[in-house]
Amino acid sequence: PADKNEFSENEYKVIKTKTFAVKPMDVEEAILQMNLLGHEFFVFRDMRSEEINVVYRRNDGNYGLITPEI
């Protein structure tokens, strides 16, 4: 039997690649865009830091923000 931590390439197969512009905006605008698109997450460039960030909808209905460690 294979170790639980081992995986084959077939277990994590990318079936679609999507390219889009990562526009500068604030967190509120990113959440609005995410909701307008009906997505569970949204990638954007933070207006202040110019870093790539991700907002996401949490299971409790609130929102989360992922920022890079500087």
Side-chain angles (χ1 to χ4, degrees):
D3 185 306
K4 283 184 175 180
N5 294 325
E6 291 180 17
F7 63 92
S8 70
E9 290 182 23
N10 293 334
E11 289 183 50
Y12 300 101
K13 188 174 184 180
V14 175
I15 59 170
K16 182 178 180 180
T17 300
K18 186 174 183 179
T19 304
F20 62 96
V22 181
K23 298 181 180 178
M25 59 184 71
D26 60 25
V27 173
E28 291 78 13
E29 175 69 17
I31 291 171
L32 177 64
Q33 291 296 321
M34 178 181 68
N35 288 333
L36 287 172
L37 293 168
H39 292 173
E40 296 298 313
F41 69 93
F42 189 80
V43 179
F44 69 102
R45 183 175 302 278
D46 184 271
M47 290 176 68
R48 292 184 202 108
S49 69
E50 297 185 1
E51 297 286 341
I52 298 296
N53 287 208
V54 177
V55 290
Y56 63 95
R57 187 179 340 279
R58 296 171 38 93
N59 290 334
D60 64 7
N62 291 306
Y63 299 98
L65 175 64
I66 299 172
T67 60
E69 186 173 325
I70 299 174

